[in-house]
């Protein structure tokens, strides 16, 4: 096929492969889906209604690449209030999901040979896109002992003159780890000292179980080197809508908008109008969803900790449990595979999130307590046969 060399460096997100396999198995057996990271709740009604009204009102055409100005304004206001800072609409670029912010930021900044430090275990697309652009992906290990927070001392040791960017993610996928204000201050100091960009993936900012969300954007010194990734997928149960945004210096926003002009032109305009309803509408459905996630977290963590060979820290945010399964004596890839094929429990091996995920499994608890209970029973059954 004579593909471009860079295609050999492009990774993937195995959650989607696992979902396909799990769906295919459904004709043979019952499958409990704990693999994919999406809320199992419907998008709140007022948001759906707003999208329908927007279609009828003619929001079916191309829009500006950076997004509709009234929506950029609403996002700047909402995202600023959430973080206790002030953003301007010129800093906001609206994208089809949060993911493009990741790809565009890396495309805009990373040249062959540049180093990018990224959390490992972590969202697999960071490593994939860094490699694709010819950068050197430098993992920073997240340790179970410290609640999977990134160790600022280790970070400082990894940064060198070739480092172009540091990626952070809090609350974190797959571990549920959350960075403290002190962690963020140290990361900010390192970035400033070495003139490095920070990409802060804050897509789970509002899926936080205790305490207040801390964003690295609270340190204004970093303003000129910070790109925040956020979106509607998780908080508003809108994964399939493809609606996210980045917040960054206005000059960088112009460049990301230009990348958008070159790739997907713009984000669908009726979904953007629905975003206005999400940002300003009632919070009861979102709050109910978050309360339910918390119940499920407590349920799944307690259940996993009862299984022989499993040890699971309680995630502080996002909706994933990430137990250490080394005590079972079974390789985590084999265990994930057998759980799916023999017991119909779809989950992911920690290695789907990088080499330091070895020895762990990831369970998304975006599923009912009843189904989680069923899955726990089936895992126990499999463990008994080993
Ligand atoms: N960042 C992290 C850490 C995620 O877990 C995800 C989705 O799972 C994304 C970004 C992408 O979100 P979106 O579906 O809005 O593109």
């Amino acid at each position: 096929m004579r593909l471009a060399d860079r295609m050999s460096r492009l990774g993937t997100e195995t959650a989607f492969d696992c979902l396909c396999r799990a769906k295919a198995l459904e004709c043979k057996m019952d499958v409990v889906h704990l693999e994919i990271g999406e809320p199992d709740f419907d998008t709140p009604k007022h948001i759906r209604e707003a999208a329908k009204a927007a279609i009828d009102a003619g929001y079916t055409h191309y829009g500006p690449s950076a997004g509709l100005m009234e929506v950029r304004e609403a996002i700047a206001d909402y995202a600023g209030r959430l973080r206790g800072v002030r953003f301007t609409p010129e800093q906001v670029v609206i994208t089809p999901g949060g993911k493009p912010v990741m790809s565009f930021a890396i495309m805009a900044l990373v040249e062959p040979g540049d180093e990018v430090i990224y959390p490992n275990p972590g969202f697999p697309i960071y490593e994939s896109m860094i490699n694709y652009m010819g950068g050197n992906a430098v993992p920073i290990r997240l340790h179970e002992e410290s609640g999977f927070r990134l160790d600022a001392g280790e970070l400082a040791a990894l940064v060198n003159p070739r480092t172009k960017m540091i990626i952070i993610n809090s609350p974190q996928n797959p571990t549920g780890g959350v960075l403290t204000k002190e962690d963020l201050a140290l990361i900010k100091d390192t970035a400033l000292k070495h003139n490095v960009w920070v990409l802060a993936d804050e897509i789970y900012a509002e899926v936080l179980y205790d305490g207040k969300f801390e964003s690295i954007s609270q340190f204004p010194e970093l303003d000129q080197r910070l790109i925040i990734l956020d979106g509607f997928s998780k908080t508003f149960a809108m994964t399939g809508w493809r609606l996210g945004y980045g917040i960054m210096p206005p000059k960088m926003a112009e460049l990301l908008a230009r990348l958008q002009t070159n790739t997907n032109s713009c984000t669908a305009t009726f979904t953007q109008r629905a975003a206005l309803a999400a940002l300003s509408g009632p919070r009861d459905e979102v709050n109910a969803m978050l309360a339910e996630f918390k119940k499920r977290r407590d349920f799944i963590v307690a259940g996993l900790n009862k299984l022989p060979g499993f040890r699971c820290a309680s995630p502080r945010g996002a909706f994933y449990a990430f137990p250490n399964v080394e005590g079972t004596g079974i390789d985590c890839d084999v265990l994930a595979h057998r759980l799916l094929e023999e017991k119909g429990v779809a989950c992911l091996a920690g290695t789907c999130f990088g080499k330091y995920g070895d020895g762990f499994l990831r369970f998304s608890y975006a599923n009912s307590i009843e189904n989680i209970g069923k899955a726990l029973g089936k895992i126990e059954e499999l463990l008994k046969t080993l």
Side-chain angles (χ1 to χ4, degrees):
M1 278 209 273
R2 303 193 64 230
L3 296 175
D5 279 353
R6 60 180 169 274
M7 284 308 289
S8 67
R9 302 193 298 265
L10 191 64
T12 189
E13 201 182 333
T14 23
F16 285 100
D17 298 341
C18 180
L19 179 66
C20 284
R21 177 68 194 138
K23 288 265 178 219
L25 269 180
E26 271 175 352
C27 60
K28 282 207 301 203
M29 58 162 83
D30 267 356
V31 175
V32 184
H33 291 277
L34 302 177
E35 76 282 38
I36 198 85
E38 68 169 341
D40 54 320
F41 296 87
D42 289 333
T43 304
K45 186 151 187 277
H46 64 281
I47 305 176
R48 288 183 272 136
E49 295 299 337
K52 291 181 214 167
I55 291 176
D56 288 340
Y59 284 95
T60 51
H61 298 273
Y62 290 132
S65 288
L68 298 171
M69 192 36 107
E70 67 274 24
V71 188
R72 294 170 76 195
E73 277 166 4
I75 290 172
D77 179 56
Y78 180 93
R81 272 188 286 121
L82 178 67
R83 293 164 177 83
V85 299
R86 258 185 60 78
F87 296 127
T88 63
E90 290 72 28
Q91 290 179 263
V92 176
V93 181
I94 303 172
T95 45
K99 221 181 223 176
V101 175
M102 199 181 290
S103 308
F104 291 158
I106 294 170
M107 280 183 199
L109 288 166
V110 178
E111 295 198 276
D114 282 350
E115 294 190 3
V116 180
I117 300 172
Y118 70 100
N120 190 319
F123 192 58
I125 301 304
Y126 307 138
E127 186 177 345
S128 168
M129 280 308 298
I130 299 162
N131 288 331
Y132 183 67
M133 292 313 297
N136 288 338
V138 179
I140 180 159
R141 184 176 196 151
L142 305 185
H143 301 277
E144 186 186 3
E145 310 79 75
S146 58
F148 298 104
R149 283 161 39 230
L150 179 155
D151 183 301
E154 284 177 30
L155 177 71
L158 288 174
V159 177
N160 68 66
R162 289 183 304 280
T163 309
K164 190 65 164 283
M165 184 192 279
I166 298 165
I167 301 178
I168 58 174
N169 174 212
S170 175
Q172 212 245 355
N173 175 8
T175 65
V178 172
L179 296 171
T180 63
K181 184 171 178 176
E182 292 70 36
D183 296 331
L184 294 167
L186 292 169
I187 295 166
K188 175 261 306 177
D189 289 343
T190 303
L192 284 177
K193 183 164 163 207
H194 298 275
N195 201 8
V196 167
W197 279 84
V198 173
L199 171 62
D201 184 340
E202 299 183 345
I203 195 102
Y204 296 100
E206 294 189 71
V207 190
L208 183 69
Y209 302 109
D210 354 79
K212 153 178 168 291
F213 173 63
E214 299 286 353
S215 167
I216 198 164
S217 63
Q218 68 189 279
F219 304 108
E221 313 91 281
L222 198 60
D223 270 2
Q224 294 310 307
R225 287 187 214 127
L226 176 62
I227 299 175
I228 296 173
L229 178 163
D230 201 344
F232 296 80
S233 300
K234 316 290 176 178
T235 310
F236 299 100
M238 291 174 74
T239 47
W241 292 63
R242 311 312 302 133
L243 197 59
Y245 50 89
I247 304 175
M248 62 207 83
K251 184 74 205 140
M252 184 55 84
E254 282 172 26
L255 297 173
L256 256 74
R258 186 182 294 198
L259 279 165
Q260 189 136 259
T261 309
N262 278 266
T263 48
N264 46 273
S265 298
C266 65
T267 303
T269 43
F270 61 93
T271 61
Q272 291 188 58
R273 291 290 300 183
L276 289 177
L279 297 177
S280 63
R283 295 284 296 191
D284 44 339
E285 287 186 64
V286 170
N287 291 341
M289 179 180 80
L290 296 176
E292 182 61 27
F293 278 149
K294 189 169 182 177
K295 265 196 231 153
R296 293 172 182 181
R297 174 197 67 168
D298 295 342
F299 181 73
I300 195 169
V301 169
L304 289 170
N305 276 319
K306 283 192 196 122
L307 296 171
F310 277 55
R311 179 177 71 219
C312 186
S314 187
R316 290 192 52 213
F319 37 70
Y320 311 104
F322 199 64
N324 182 318
V325 295
E326 280 166 341
T328 61
I330 304 161
D331 178 81
C332 67
D333 292 277
V334 175
L335 191 53
H337 180 78
R338 291 192 61 177
L339 279 171
L340 177 60
E341 301 292 329
E342 295 174 34
K343 294 290 169 189
V345 176
C347 65
L348 298 179
T351 46
C352 298
F353 301 92
K355 62 179 176 179
Y356 297 128
D358 195 18
F360 294 83
L361 292 178
R362 189 195 79 168
F363 295 91
S364 161
Y365 48 89
N367 205 329
S368 64
I369 296 245
E370 188 192 344
N371 283 335
I372 294 170
K374 223 186 269 175
L376 288 167
K378 289 182 179 203
I379 302 170
E380 195 173 7
E381 273 172 33
L382 183 82
L383 292 175
K384 279 191 185 136
T385 66
L386 300 175

